[in-house]
Amino acid sequence: MIHLPEHLNERQKAIYREKWLGTISIIVKTIIGIVFVAIGLFVYAAFGPTIHGWFDQPEPVPIEEIQRRIAEKEADLDRVEDGIHLETGLIAAAGWETVRASCTACHSAKLVTQNRATRDGWKTMIRWMQETQGLWELGDQEAVILDYLAANYAPEEASRRANLDMEEIEWYILEL
Ligand code: HEC
């Protein structure tokens, strides 16, 4: 407890005590305040960049960068590798772009690439889609499409065998 001077009467002692308590209270509060500020500074020093990160606006992407990315995506859509158009899987032979434009609107190009038929067979499928599935008149493009399909998606049996390698054949005279 606080040691009070002897000559004070009770009222003065009470005032004295109160002053002391007030002073001590201010000191304690100040210390607590300093501790809090110190903790705050410490946390900021340690996690400042992270905390800033929460409030940082993302850097706006410059318009040139956006245009570059779109161009890249579009180039991807047109990319052909080993004679196959990657996006659709269509064989990139004459007329393939017409087929892509006309034949991938309603269903995947897989329906086309998984099928094999003669020119007549393809024509029948197109007629069937026109009569029952809402496929539009193809006009001049129909011949281009049929030529492409007949050439690249012909029935396996009907497709030509690979050319013979004339160098490799051992010729012999047939003896009768
Ligand atoms: C107007 C929409 C539409 C367009 C455009 C379209 N098709 Fe189809 N096609 C369909 C529908 C619908 C089916 C049936 C799909 C199914 O059975 O899941 C289908 C099915 C097919 C099939 C499978 C037929 C079968 O017997 O299994 C082939 C092959 C096909 N289409 C090829 C083509 C070709 C080639 C073109 C371009 C000339 C084309 N499609 C354009 C709607 C269309």
Side-chain angles (χ1 to χ4, degrees), residues 102-103 106-107 111 115 122 125 128-129 133-136 149:
S102 305
C103 307
C106 303
H107 49 67
L111 271 190
N115 267 282
W122 281 111
M125 280 190 256
W128 170 77
M129 278 180 285
Q133 309 297 336
L135 174 59
W136 47 87
L149 293 172

Side-chain angles (χ1 to χ4, degrees), residues 55-128:
F55 300 102
D56 279 353
Q57 292 291 329
E59 284 277 313
V61 181
I63 188 76
E64 298 81 31
E65 174 62 12
I66 293 173
Q67 283 165 344
R68 198 189 61 74
R69 287 185 202 169
I70 291 174
E72 207 170 70
K73 280 263 156 58
E74 279 171 356
D76 271 353
L77 290 182
D78 286 340
R79 188 164 298 155
V80 171
E81 259 171 39
D82 299 330
I84 302 288
H85 176 234
L86 296 184
E87 169 77 6
T88 56
L90 288 168
I91 296 171
W96 78 270
E97 279 163 313
T98 310
V99 172
R100 172 172 65 167
S102 305
C103 307
T104 60
C106 303
H107 49 67
S108 151
K110 280 217 179 72
L111 271 190
V112 180
T113 58
Q114 285 169 353
N115 267 282
R116 296 283 178 280
T118 58
R119 201 173 197 281
D120 279 346
W122 281 111
K123 199 169 186 171
T124 308
M125 280 190 256
I126 288 178
R127 289 288 171 272
W128 170 77

Side-chain angles (χ1 to χ4, degrees), residues 1-102:
M1 251 337 268
I2 308 156
H3 182 74
L4 299 176
E6 290 303 321
H7 62 273
L8 298 177
N9 62 31
E10 283 309 312
R11 214 180 76 79
Q12 287 171 322
K13 280 182 182 172
I15 291 171
Y16 205 102
R17 259 193 218 102
E18 222 164 80
K19 287 257 158 79
W20 256 107
L21 287 176
T23 309
I24 289 171
S25 154
I26 286 172
I27 292 171
V28 169
K29 282 177 186 166
T30 306
I31 291 172
I32 291 174
I34 289 171
V35 167
F36 268 98
V37 170
I39 291 174
L41 284 175
F42 178 77
V43 168
Y44 183 72
F47 303 107
T50 316
I51 295 167
H52 276 293
W54 297 341
F55 300 102
D56 279 353
Q57 292 291 329
E59 284 277 313
V61 181
I63 188 76
E64 298 81 31
E65 174 62 12
I66 293 173
Q67 283 165 344
R68 198 189 61 74
R69 287 185 202 169
I70 291 174
E72 207 170 70
K73 280 263 156 58
E74 279 171 356
D76 271 353
L77 290 182
D78 286 340
R79 188 164 298 155
V80 171
E81 259 171 39
D82 299 330
I84 302 288
H85 176 234
L86 296 184
E87 169 77 6
T88 56
L90 288 168
I91 296 171
W96 78 270
E97 279 163 313
T98 310
V99 172
R100 172 172 65 167
S102 305

Side-chain angles (χ1 to χ4, degrees), residues 102-172:
S102 305
C103 307
T104 60
C106 303
H107 49 67
S108 151
K110 280 217 179 72
L111 271 190
V112 180
T113 58
Q114 285 169 353
N115 267 282
R116 296 283 178 280
T118 58
R119 201 173 197 281
D120 279 346
W122 281 111
K123 199 169 186 171
T124 308
M125 280 190 256
I126 288 178
R127 289 288 171 272
W128 170 77
M129 278 180 285
Q130 284 171 333
E131 280 156 25
T132 64
Q133 309 297 336
L135 174 59
W136 47 87
E137 288 299 318
L138 294 167
D140 295 345
Q141 293 175 340
E142 185 171 292
V144 177
I145 292 169
L146 286 175
D147 286 347
Y148 169 87
L149 293 172
N152 298 289
Y153 299 97
E156 304 287 1
E157 318 86 277
S159 63
R160 295 181 50 194
R161 62 165 167 71
N163 287 341
L164 293 176
D165 186 353
M166 301 305 267
E167 311 294 334
E168 287 298 308
I169 296 172
E170 288 183 36
W171 298 101
Y172 58 92

